[in-house]
Structures are given as structure tokens and as C-alpha cells.
Amino acid sequence: MISLRAPAKVNLYLHVLGDRSDGYHEVFTRMQKIDLCDVITLEQTGEPGMRFDCDDPALSGDDNLVLRAARLFFSAANLTGRQGLAIRLEKKIPVAAGLGGGSSDAGTLLQGLNRLHNHPLSVAELVRLAAQIGSDVPFFAVSGAAALATGRGECLAEVASLDAYWYLLINPGVAVSTKWVFDNYALTSGKKKSKLFGSQKKDRTTFSPEDMHNDLESITMKRYPEVAEIKDSLLRAGAEAALMSGSGPTVYGLFLRKKTDSTALYKLAEQLSAVYDGRVWLTRAYTGV
Ligand code: C5P
């Protein structure tokens, strides 16, 4: 039996660069894994076939991305029908929140199955399978904690993990569909091209809080004004910068660790948690352990 931690991500910036002929959008984004994790347990069983259960009944169906990932893996590794597998998923990452939870479960499972079966597939093969599941899944099928992503989000270049900060996350408790946000972006933005700025241009591997920008933010904020309110309250609370992650609606604030009194920050998180019904997380960059 093995237990895997599937981390959430935030987008430190996300630029939509244009439409693609496949119906998706060309993006340029910096993704960072953070230490808010779902837990996946894998157990090889005697009887063939797959068993899956999840502590969230709404996600226990046959269409869970985790099952899709497992089927793709077994087929690509020529292991279909050989042995049984029981998968258990414990959700901690909120769903449809812009934090990549479902994508992380699928990508982490691909990595885990490859390990469990003694690495029949290369990293490139895992990434190729991951891209068939969703645009964000490849990032979670590789081990690095931070990457620049282009294309649909599936072309990755590893960069340094941003571990100088605390990440304070607030989710307003509404579910947002990524497809809905991109569809509305296409309708409202015309052919306007996103501008890259700051260290995104000068040196693609460095990062400064001034670079934080998300082209999808205004779309989600227009529909859910509470997203803008949360962003304001994080900035008022002293965050270095604050941004909506992905297609939202979760917003995070960055607090420089060496400048921040962690006891006071924990207290702030507790107070916010009372306001936002427990949907507040104070985390650090994901370290993989
Ligand atoms: O790839 P994934 O299934 O996660 O994407 C969900 C939806 O988000 C897509 O169906 C598409 O409408 C939109 N999307 C997009 N461009 C991207 C990623 C996602 O238009 N780069």
C-alpha cells in the first residue's frame, strides 16, 4: 500500500495569449505547488479490476479523473487486467476553486502508479498521458514544485519554488467552471493580447510580486464580486500581493516569511476562517515531503 500527497497549486501569473485552433487558449503562466494536499491511497488487490472510493460522495463516480488516469496508465504500460487496484481519495482541496485539485489527483496518481510498478513509463510518457486528461494535469505528473507553463498549460519548464512566502488562501464558497471563465474571456476580450511585464520578460526564471497578474480575474470578479472583496481584505491585512488563482474563485495573499510574525498570521487566518466558514488555509510552498 502506498500513500500519496496530491498538492494544490496557485498561479503566480496567468496570461491568456490568444485562441488556438483546438478551441483552447494559449496561456503563459507560472504555477506553484503549495502544501494543501489531497491524500490518495493505493493498494494492490488479489481480484482484478479497480475499486475507487472518495470521502466526498459527489466525487465518487466513475467519471473521477483519478479513474481516467489509472485506466490510461494501465493501458499505456500494458498492464490492463493484470492485477487489481483499490484507490481511496481523501479530499482537502476545494473543488472547482482554481487550485487544480482534480488535476493534481490525476497527475499524482500517474506518478504514484509508475512508482508502484517500477517505472514502466518515462516522465515524457506520463506527461503525454496527463495532457489527455486536462491542461493542468502534466504539472502534477512531474515532481518539480514550480513551473512555467505554455501551450494549453501542458508545456512545462521547471523554475525555482517560491518558498520565501506564506500563502494565505480564501475561498468564497462558490464553484466556478474553468470552461465558463474561458468562454466569457473569449467573448469579452476580443483579440486583445495580454502584455507580459516585469521579470516575466527580463528573465523568465525569476519572480517578483509586481509580476502577479491574472487575465481571468476580471471575468470571475464580475460574476462573483466577493472575489474582489477578498482580494482587498488580504491586501488590507498586509499581504505583499494578492491574486485570484487560475479561473478562481480562490484568492491568495503572499506574506514574506522573514517579515511576518507567524503567530499573528495564524491568528489572522483563524479570524478570517470564522468569517469565511472554514474556507481559509495558511500554507507554504510544497516541498514534496
Ligand atoms: O483542459 P481542461 O479540461 O482542464 O480545460 C477545461 C476547459 O477550460 C476547456 O474545455 C476549455 O474550455 C478551457 N481552457 C481553455 N484554454 C486552456 C485551458 C482550458 O480554453 N489553456
Side-chain angles (χ1 to χ4, degrees), residues 16 18 20 22-27 65 68 103 131-137 150-154 177-183 247:
V16 182
R20 290 162 54 103
D22 59 7
Y24 284 78
H25 292 81
E26 196 70 21
V27 296
L65 293 187
R68 188 135 177 248
S103 300
Q132 294 174 41
I133 303 169
S135 310
D136 280 354
V137 182
T150 52
R152 276 195 292 138
E154 86 286 22
S177 147
T178 302
K179 181 172 169 12
W180 179 87
V181 176
F182 271 107
D183 286 352
S247 47

Side-chain angles (χ1 to χ4, degrees), residues 3 16 24 33 47 58 62 90 117 129 140 161 165 195 217 258 283:
S3 182
V16 182
Y24 284 78
K33 291 175 188 165
E47 70 266 30
D62 205 35
E90 284 164 58
H117 291 277
L129 295 185
F140 298 103
S161 180
Y165 293 94
K195 276 203 197 82
E217 200 178 52
K258 63 172 189 238
T283 66

Side-chain angles (χ1 to χ4, degrees), residues 11 29 33 71 77 84 98 111 117 134-135 170 172 187 195 207 215 226 232 246 251 259:
N11 298 80
T29 181
K33 291 175 188 165
R71 287 190 200 106
Q111 280 195 70
H117 291 277
S135 310
I170 305 180
L187 288 175
K195 276 203 197 82
F207 172 82
D215 275 331
E226 55 268 50
D232 280 349
V251 181
K259 265 178 42 189

Side-chain angles (χ1 to χ4, degrees), residues 243-257:
L243 192 72
M244 185 183 84
S245 180
S247 47
T250 307
V251 181
Y252 66 94
L254 290 186
F255 294 79
L256 203 52
R257 275 167 54 201

